[in-house]
Amino acid sequence: MIDVRDANKRFVAPGLRRRDEGPVVAVDHVSFSVGAGEILAVVGESGAGKSTVGRMLLGLERPDSGEVWVDGHELGDASERALRRIRRRMSLVLQDPYQSLHPGWRVRTAVAEPLAIAGVSQLERSERAASALEEVGLAPAADFVDRFPHELSGGQRQRVAFARALAGRPRVVVADEPTSMLDASLRRGILDLITAMRERLETTFVVITHDLAAARYVADRVVVMLNGQIVESGEIGQVLDHPANEYTKMLLAASEGRLPEEASCG
Amino acid sequence: MLRSRLVPRSVLAGLALAAALFMPAAGAQEPEQPRTVRIAISGYENNITPFNVSFGAFPVTHDLMHLVYDSLFWSQAKLEPEPWLAERATPNEDFTEWTVELRPGVRWHDGEPFTAEDVAFSFDYYERFPELSGRYAHHVFDVPPLEDAEVIDPQTVRLTFRQPAPQFPIMPGADLPIIPEHIWSEIEDPGTVDEELPIGTGPFKVTEIEPDQRYVMEANPQYFKGRPLVDRIEMPIVEDPSSAFQALRAGEIDQVARNLPPELVNQFADASGLEVLEGTRFESTQLYFNARRAPWSDPAVRKAISLAIDSQQLVDQVLLGQGREGNDGFIHPDSPWAGENNGHESDPQRAERMLEEAGYNAGSDGIRRDERGRPLSLEVLISSFDPLGLRAVEQVARQVRRIGVEVVPVALDPATLRDRRQAPEGEAPTYDAYLSTLETHAHADPDSLYYFFHSPGEKGFGAAITGWSNARFDELSERATAQPPQQRQALFDQMQSILAEEAPVVVLWYPDGNYAYRPAAYEGWISDPGHGIFTKRSFLPAYADTGAASTVEDVGESSVWPWVVVGLVALVVLGGIVAVRRRRTEDPEEDWGG
Amino acid sequence: MLRHAGRTIAQYGLVVAAIVVLNFALPRLAPGDAVDYLIPPEQAGTLTVEQRDRILSQYGLDEPVPVQFERYVSGLVTGDLQSSIRYGQPVVDVIGERIGWTVLLVGGAVMLAMLIGTLLGFRSAWRRGRRSDVGTLSGVMLVDSMPPFFVGMLLILVFSVALGWFPVFGALPGTEIAGLSAIGEILQRLVLPLVTLTLAAIGPIYLVARSALVSELREDYVLMARAKGLVGRAVRRHAQRNALMPVVTIGLLEVGALVGGAAVVETVFSYPGLGRLIYESVLARDYPVLQGVFLLLAIGVILANLIGDLLYPLLDPRVRRPPAAAA
Amino acid sequence: MSAGGIAVQLGLGRLRGQVSPAGRRLAAVGAGLLGVLFLLALLAPLIAPGDPSAPAGIAYQAPSAEYLLGTDDVGHDLFAMLVHGARVSLTIGVLSALVATVIGLGVALAAGWFRGRVESVLMRIVDLALSLPFLVLVIVLAAFFGRGLVTTVLVIAAVLWARPARVLRSQVIKVREFQHVVAARGIGASPLRLIFRHILPRVAPLGVAQFVRSATIAVLIESSLAFLGLGDPSRVSWGNILFFANQRSAFITDAWLWWVLPPGLALTAAILGFAFVGYAVEEWSDPRLGATPRRRARTGRPARPEAADDIEQAPGTVLDVRDLVVEYGPPATAIRAVDGVSFTVAPGSIVGLVGESGSGKSTTAMALLRLLPPGARVVQGAMLFDGRDLRALPPSAMTALRGRGVSLIPQSAMNALNPAYTVRRQVAEAAALLPRTAAAADARARELLEFVGIPSARQDAYPHELSGGMRQRVVIAMAIANEPHLIVADEPVTGLDVVTQVRILRLLAEVQERWGAAIVLVSHDLPLVSRVANELVVMHEGRIVEAGPAAAVTERPEHAHTRALLAPLAVQEGLA
């Protein structure tokens, strides 16, 4: 479903900064692939290039070199128009539930947006939006469709974001840190939602997270990134139980509250 | 770093300093000081040479320059101009030759003697640079064309004209400033601005030029008409008339070289410390039709509009009565050349009849149409800087609307306005009419009717100004110019009758002259018809009003209202200070909220 | 760094080039030309085409536009700004005579407005929501809402006519005096126009200073400053320093706006500054002067930008020492 | 047209910050002024029937019953002129501002959407437009199009559009990266949809602010142009009345009272009305500016709370919180954020205050330092610290205590450092609170920074040059500068990556060991906190649901909520 081959992306630091620092390398020779219906976790600290990979999968960033294949299309050289067509079979869930919904829109409008983009009729739209809401656990949908985002709790908002992501029945969903802003008690519900959706719709998920526990909870396979490079990847159990890379070990240790004593100052 | 606590303290300190610095100095006028008069003028005139004065952009130009330069004669729009640099001028039989005897013993400001060479040189020089010299040169090269200026002896010069020039002493004799040969013979570009240049024979020498700010002149003690009564004239440039009269009222200046606006006449006349002198202004404001353009080319339409205009009402309404109604014969009623039947005929009924007869019938909107169905809609161009003119057009529009003619005022800045009046060569200009104001020259010069209304030709400008032409008028005016002014009156009367009947222009009014000054500074002012009181004769012992030297207490006139405002401002400021002080005692930092 | 500087210079260069072209074109697009202004009205209609052309040729205005443009540009390169039509003097001299007054008036107004506006704005921000803040806020906005010409005339009415404290017009002493008293009188004549212009300029600066400090005061470092035991001025100092940057930006923006905007005030007070020169030169279609003044203004705007570029690093270390890219 | 009205129409009320009471009051005054003026303009034909430029009476009449504001130089009724002038001035103001804002918005959208070359070119044009003297433009345009209403509007818009363009562009760039916009792009929304459905509505509040601000300037420019004689003198506008007033010497006669003051004040009122409304709209469009003021209005100053004399601090505690109640919002509709919280802190111990967002844990922490956010207040309870009730301390004593007795490690430590000063200076500033020489304070700063793990080579760095973890270390150094007995650490590791989180917690434990300070450690991450805390206090919805020794709480959580907080994922999968 997804095949990334040797993708590279550099950013030039924006704004007032001096230009002689050289571009920031965001993604450095990254290759991986995801099968249909698979859940891949991309793990790493902030600044490791995870989010850039996610944006690349949607064609929101184009790689400087290398290829990004999604569902049989190469995104790197695709035209904007072609990209838009491809994106209609994909979806994106972002980290901040407070920002990822348009604050001026009712839930109904937000969830139906992908359907509107796909040209679904008004009547069908609201039906499908309602069923999408119930799929993500916001039932009965009638209680939610007329609310504004600020009238929902954080967890509910993130569910709405998922409902929107899934309403158009996408083949691929990229979820960028979907749980990191949520309280611990809500995290599991969202992760359960992802696995349930995969079961029901055979959607392919790419879950970007810094939380190894969350990765282990949902993912089939994992990619560990550091400074734009993939340092380790494989079956989730394999990687987390027998980490080969020092960095992966350190991440694991930290998530258990331990620190290798030799670790340098952060 | 900035500390907001310092605000009030530093402000107070600044105020104290300012107060110490700016307290008006008491007793500014000390007895030993030279007698100084401060006169606000309206614009910068470069270095006050005849070639550089602001090209007539400001009305004071002429008077300012005649303080520095003299002409052969001095005209007060009288039939017989007063000899000035000339002692007498004698024409030959057909007025083509004038022998001018000059006053002896005159010296230039730099000490060089004034001779016939200078006079001959001046005439030659003006002719060399006809374009640059603004209003002066065209009298030399155009009316009447000078053929030769010949020096007979150091006190005598003979001027030969291509045509009879019976009015020579008035024009250009009384108009053309005589310039020194020893200065100007060196100068190839008369437009040069050099502060050393303004050397004349006049009663005042230029001593300081601050562009756009002021001129200072000092008396020429050797002046041939006697040492001026004022030692020094300071002329700050105050373009805004309101500011200028404010300054006069506040006592910062002693005279404003402008006509006192009608609305101020009574107030300034009543004000203590100020006096108002009346004087004849040869000035008129008129509506020019573009007589090349239909339907304004139809005399019936023009005359009808003229008849619809109630000139007296305009004078009452806009000039507040400080003026006289227009004269259909154009010339100022006080001019020696004015016709017998002065005045403006206002008769809307007759106007309507004329338009009916000529076939202009009203449409459904009440506006008359010509035979091709075009409405009689007169677009009047007007300078947006002429408030009286703007008001006049507003009223004219109302008056003329009654006979079914629409007037649309179009306010433009002066350069745009003049541009609109022009047309590419060989084409007729496309404007309908414009409003403008003419100064002395138009009313005091016996040839003016010729210049303004003769068909285009060797000397006439008529077509260029109005596009109007009339064979009978041409013939009359040609005959007139060949005669001495004294003998032209009968012809003038006929010419003015034609103008009245054909109405190429409609004179709206002739404003009265009123001039305000501070007698405490100088009270010798006299009114020179056509010049106002800012004229060199006001400063000369032979002419100035040296009569009753009543001491006038110099008290700035003031009304009670500004004081009310002062009081209010003071209250607000005091209140603010109190409030600030009160607040300062409170600690903004902490609260019990936590 | 070099590439960045190169690009900046290239961009400024483009702006200057555009300004040069506009300076040339804009005045010429207006109807009428200098001759229309120069020649007295009664004579204007009487000029023959030849006479008109001769006058135009005096000022090089009869040449085809491309030739005029080329002469203008080559003049710029050699530093020759040509001569004023109205004043007959080299444009450099005409501007030179006024620039001092403009610097005094506009410069003084900007500085005063910056100072007072910043102090008041900071004070308001510190006491925001309280009565003194609301009072200052509405007071400043009230003053800012009065048209400058209206303020100027009222000031004249009160301080010149009624009180007689200050002269009504002009920049120079009425009589020839020298030394300290001349300076005193120059300052005295400066006061009213300066106050008017300062009042006109305070508003935006005050508002920016206030809102900048208000939002800085919401920053966590201010809370931290208080939490670590700092009081009053020490806390304010933390925030004020960071709030200065937008104030400087708006202040520099104001300079350009004020030079042109001063025309009204300079007219009311008959002050011989550049604003009035622009206004009158526009009316007189004095192209060389307009070109010169606009070029000067453009350079001024660019200089203000450069000053800003120099000042920002002093105010904000983030500009001075950008973080290492990979930090 | 009030800001609120627009907000309702666009359904934007929830997009933006609040308007402060002061802003609301100004907006009300402004809307009132504009309302009156617009009403005058609207009803002009009724109030002053007939053509205002028809001469009504004698010139230069003082106000009378017949002519409320007297007459002008040719006998126009000045009151009628004033009323009708409102139409022109307001129409021109609103129309020009509208045109300018629309142009500016268009340019901003184009620049912000396409970026790159298009943006460079457009922004250069904006720079150019900002530096163009408008006087020439006015004359050129007026000459081309005449001086009609349309021309004036176009001319003013031509001068005004650049500023909105510049301001709105940066907003467009910001909004473009908002998550819902990115998400919409991610599902293939078309540019039109993105611009009109997503970006435009969120730029709109700022657009409205820019529109109102442009209207102020437009009214001012129109009057200035008219005053300079560059307007259309046949149009009855306030600027035009003033033009004639000035030209016809109104300032020299007493006529200025009724001829100059009313139109001048009307202009001022119109501009002020726009400015006041604009101020409120700006607050509303920019969340940083609005919201409630830091402190209540003067009148609402509460009396000093009674010192809790009758309550003795529990022995062996450094902090004893009793029945603490904190409320937000106006008393009538107050929300209890902290509802009767009591706990104690033993000297030198770490107490973990744990709960999810909204549980009241941070409010409790900030109440301890009396640094509650605006609108919040302690309404009940006592906070006994070293034998004194913190709640009842006079402000000066509380200030003296901060940084010395109690110090804070605030939430989002990333932003707790002033970007303008080096970190050493900021630590030294804290150290200088005790009477120390500058050199001693500096030496102390070096020592502290060294202790928290900032080597001397990095001590002169500015905050932005340090990583998040290092910045948090600097904040800790500041907190311990004067050896306080109690450190309140409010979510000190949130937002840091996992490795750094552990390191910072370890540092806090070292701080407690080395300096013996008690620490109240506020966090939402119970497993993480339980690794360093001696005691745990679990909060939920403003109340304490469970408290006790850390080991006891984590091993035998009694309350369901505590169990939810304890790593729900790990329980199932057995990680950790």
Side-chain angles (χ1 to χ4, degrees), chain C:
Chain C
M1 192 69 198
L2 265 181
R3 240 185 74 202
H4 173 54
R7 197 183 309 176
T8 310
I9 289 169
Q11 283 187 348
Y12 280 140
L14 270 178
V15 171
V16 171
I19 285 172
V20 163
V21 174
L22 274 176
N23 285 355
F24 180 82
L26 220 47
R28 283 172 170 78
L29 283 177
D33 54 36
V35 175
D36 290 323
Y37 178 82
L38 291 180
I39 304 304
E42 60 189 89
Q43 204 183 336
T46 73
L47 280 183
T48 64
V49 174
E50 294 80 40
Q51 284 169 345
R52 216 184 139 75
D53 285 350
R54 246 182 302 167
I55 300 176
L56 285 170
S57 78
Q58 283 282 331
Y59 303 103
L61 296 175
D62 59 333
E63 295 164 38
V65 172
V67 178
Q68 288 186 41
F69 184 66
E70 196 230 285
R71 216 156 37 84
Y72 159 60
V73 172
S74 62
L76 283 185
V77 174
T78 56
D80 171 22
L81 294 177
Q82 305 172 359
S83 280
S84 158
I85 297 170
R86 184 162 118 80
Y87 295 96
Q89 289 169 305
V91 168
V92 178
D93 296 354
V94 173
I95 293 176
E97 263 154 16
R98 284 158 189 80
I99 192 158
W101 300 115
T102 287
V103 168
L104 201 63
L105 181 60
V106 175
V110 170
M111 303 251 259
L112 270 180
M114 286 271 272
L115 194 72
I116 300 172
T118 312
L119 289 177
L120 286 178
F122 282 180
R123 188 166 169 277
S124 265
W126 188 245
R127 297 157 177 244
R128 71 193 170 284
R130 296 170 64 174
R131 215 181 294 163
S132 79
D133 164 41
V134 180
T136 316
L137 180 67
S138 27
V140 169
M141 282 165 103
L142 178 70
V143 167
D144 195 45
S145 298
M146 298 217 225
F149 56 86
F150 183 58
V151 174
M153 310 229 83
L154 290 185
L155 287 181
I156 288 183
L157 209 60
V158 172
F159 290 100
S160 299
V161 178
L163 294 173
W165 288 0
F166 302 105
V168 174
F169 63 87
L172 271 181
T175 49
E176 257 172 295
I177 44 171
L180 215 59
S181 52
I183 293 174
E185 197 170 334
I186 286 174
L187 288 177
Q188 193 181 0
R189 282 170 187 273
L190 181 65
V191 169
L192 289 188
L194 186 67
V195 167
T196 311
L197 209 55
T198 305
L199 288 179
I202 272 184
I205 294 172
Y206 164 85
L207 286 174
V208 166
R210 182 177 176 280
S211 71
L213 190 60
V214 164
S215 61
E216 286 298 327
L217 285 174
R218 289 183 191 282
E219 292 290 325
D220 285 334
Y221 68 82
V222 175
L223 182 74
M224 184 64 203
R226 293 186 70 201
K228 77 185 181 188
L230 300 185
V231 261
R233 198 186 296 165
V235 176
R236 243 177 298 170
R237 202 185 52 202
H238 269 275
Q240 278 169 357
R241 160 116 191 213
N242 292 310
L244 269 183
M245 190 131 136
V247 177
V248 168
T249 308
I250 185 85
L252 292 173
L253 261 180
E254 286 268 297
V255 177
L258 273 189
V259 172
V264 183
V265 175
E266 285 170 352
T267 302
V268 170
F269 290 97
S270 298
Y271 210 81
L274 286 178
R276 199 171 133 214
L277 182 67
I278 295 177
Y279 174 65
E280 278 162 18
S281 299
V282 166
L283 292 182
R285 306 292 190 267
D286 196 342
Y287 306 145
V289 170
L290 287 174
Q291 287 159 4
V293 181
F294 294 163
L295 191 71
L296 188 78
L297 282 183
I299 293 171
V301 169
I302 289 168
L303 270 184
N305 275 328
L306 285 177
I307 291 173
D309 285 349
L310 291 177
L311 276 177
Y312 296 149
L314 292 182
L315 293 174
D316 188 347
R318 282 168 293 190
V319 183
R320 180 164 69 231
R321 283 160 54 174

Side-chain angles (χ1 to χ4, degrees), chain B residues 55 212 214 239 252 416 418 464, chain C residues 36 38 45 87 168 173 280:
Chain B
F55 307 92
D212 277 352
R214 68 154 183 248
E239 280 175 28
E252 279 176 60
T416 308
R418 281 176 210 163
Chain C
D36 290 323
L38 291 180
Y87 295 96
V168 174
E280 278 162 18

Side-chain angles (χ1 to χ4, degrees), chain A residues 84 88 112-120 125, chain D residues 184 187-190 193 198:
Chain A
R84 279 207 296 279
R88 286 176 195 168
E113 190 178 25
L115 304 169
I117 292 169
V120 174
R125 247 189 270 168
Chain D
I187 53 177
S190 67
R193 181 181 187 85
H198 287 269

Side-chain angles (χ1 to χ4, degrees), chain D residues 440-452:
Chain D
D442 189 57
R444 172 81 176 161
R446 287 172 190 279
E447 183 193 333
L448 288 164
L449 285 167
E450 201 78 40
F451 169 77
V452 299

Side-chain angles (χ1 to χ4, degrees), chain A residues 45 55 58 60 84 87-88 90-92 94-96 99-105 109 113-114 116-117 148 150 164 183-185 188 191 213-214 216-217 250-251 254-257 259 261 263-266, chain D residues 11 14-15 177-180 182-191 193 197-198 201-202 356-357 453 467 469-470 473 497-500 502-503 506 524 528 531 561 564-565 568-570 572-573 575-576:
Chain A
E45 290 185 357
R55 293 172 67 106
L58 287 156
L60 295 174
R84 279 207 296 279
R87 282 186 203 138
R88 286 176 195 168
M90 304 177 68
S91 209
L92 178 65
L94 289 159
Q95 171 179 17
D96 186 349
Q99 278 195 25
S100 59
L101 295 175
H102 192 299
W105 287 6
T109 322
E113 190 178 25
I117 292 169
F148 284 103
H150 72 279
R164 177 170 80 152
D183 286 326
S185 56
R188 193 161 133 196
L191 296 176
R216 162 163 291 198
Y217 189 79
M250 205 165 81
L251 275 181
S255 71
E256 290 162 14
L259 263 195
E261 283 312 314
S264 64
C265 168
Chain D
R14 291 152 302 277
L15 295 188
E177 294 306 318
F178 277 5
Q179 294 203 346
H180 66 88
V182 175
R185 282 181 72 203
I187 53 177
S190 67
R193 181 181 187 85
R197 299 280 282 147
H198 287 269
R202 302 213 63 175
E356 300 195 325
S357 46
S467 68
M470 288 174 90
R473 288 165 190 274
D497 60 64
V498 274
V499 178
T500 314
V502 175
R503 287 187 179 136
R506 195 167 286 178
H524 65 273
L528 197 66
R531 287 183 192 120
H561 192 73
L565 284 175
L569 303 180
Q572 186 171 354
E573 295 285 323
L575 188 94

